[in-house]
Amino acid sequence: MTTISFTAKTCIVCRAEHEYTEIDSTMVFGSPDLDSRPPEMMRSTIFAWVQCCPACGYCAEDVSKAPKQAKVIVKSTQYQAQLADPAMPELANHFLCQAMIHEHAGDYAAAAWAIVHAARVCDDEEKSESAKTCRIRAANTVLRAIAAGQEFTEQRGAETVILADLLRRAGAFAEARTIIARRRPGITDSTILRLLAFQDSLIARGDVARHTLDEAMGEDE
């Protein structure tokens, strides 16, 4: 069961006050995807993972908070164009705008997660090309986070599984193979290595579909 509430918040960028939906509690039933997307019921709460101010378009996990320069970014032509991009579902645009805020603040790990969420929204809306675009962008942003020494995942090596999954599902098989080959020698965790082997098998047969951790670990058999 998922419970929600409605909370009045003041946008830190434009000072407009509106009500926003927040998730108070939810449950999960099943296995997460290889990119760590949770199963239902949490899966369907994605609509509340980003808030968008109806007045100015500021997008954030919490519109009452913002990093420095957020107001300048929100007013920029690039930001407003992303907010209204017709190639993306509205919710995906909100996540992509959130990613722009994080990128300008230098938080590439948070930006990458926002872009991953945008890809998931595109999946739900059956916008395959838009989802592919988001996944390529997310993978590039994950690599920026790693280069900057930022932690993308809590478990060491899990970022490689997610990177491979982003590239595989975008159809970038050669790039996914390269990432796995380059990063696997530094991984010792047996579970991570098993997940990478499963990614290898999916890449070998040109599979771009969604798969779960249970599938990879053989628990569906």
Side-chain angles (χ1 to χ4, degrees):
M1 180 177 180
T2 296
T3 58
I4 63 174
S5 60
F6 301 93
T7 305
K9 293 187 178 184
T10 300
C11 174
I12 198 169
V13 170
C14 71
R15 309 309 300 173
E17 184 175 302
H18 293 277
E19 264 193 355
Y20 296 90
T21 304
E22 296 193 326
I23 305 300
D24 295 325
S25 64
T26 190
M27 301 177 73
V28 294
F29 299 96
S31 173
D33 294 351
L34 289 174
D35 72 353
S36 80
R37 186 176 186 182
E40 296 293 5
M41 302 170 67
M42 186 183 290
R43 188 185 195 89
S44 291
T45 65
I46 192 170
F47 71 92
W49 297 359
V50 62
Q51 298 173 353
C52 178
C53 174
C56 69
Y58 173 52
C59 296
E61 183 178 353
D62 183 344
V63 296
S64 67
K65 302 174 183 178
K68 293 179 180 180
Q69 302 299 313
K71 180 180 282 190
V72 174
I73 299 163
V74 169
K75 290 183 176 180
S76 70
T77 301
Q78 182 183 12
Y79 184 96
Q80 291 298 320
Q82 182 64 75
L83 189 63
D85 185 355
M88 295 286 173
E90 181 180 36
L91 181 58
N93 278 328
H94 293 174
F95 280 118
L96 293 172
C97 284
Q98 180 187 24
M100 290 177 66
I101 299 287
H102 286 311
E103 284 176 318
H104 279 82
D107 191 345
Y108 303 118
W113 278 118
I115 303 168
V116 170
H117 296 332
R120 294 165 174 175
V121 172
C122 293
D123 289 340
D124 295 343
E125 297 290 328
E126 298 183 351
K127 301 284 188 181
S128 59
E129 286 304 310
S130 296
K132 176 180 178 179
T133 298
C134 288
R135 285 193 165 90
I136 293 296
R137 180 176 165 186
N140 289 333
T141 309
V142 171
L143 291 173
R144 290 182 72 186
I146 292 171
Q150 297 174 9
E151 188 177 83
F152 179 66
T153 56
E154 292 183 3
Q155 184 180 6
R156 185 177 180 182
E159 75 284 348
T160 304
V161 176
I162 295 175
L163 262 173
D165 199 64
L166 290 168
L167 292 167
R168 176 188 64 80
R169 294 195 63 190
F173 300 122
E175 291 85 349
R177 286 193 195 95
T178 298
I179 285 291
I180 293 173
R182 183 182 300 158
R183 300 183 63 84
R184 179 157 40 200
I187 297 171
T188 57
D189 186 283
S190 60
T191 298
I192 297 297
L193 291 171
R194 188 168 178 179
L195 294 176
L196 291 177
F198 184 69
Q199 289 282 14
D200 270 333
S201 68
L202 296 175
I203 292 166
R205 60 176 184 259
D207 189 328
V208 297
R210 175 179 74 89
H211 292 277
T212 68
L213 292 181
D214 278 359
E215 287 180 77
M217 300 304 292
E219 294 177 22
D220 278 355
E221 297 176 1

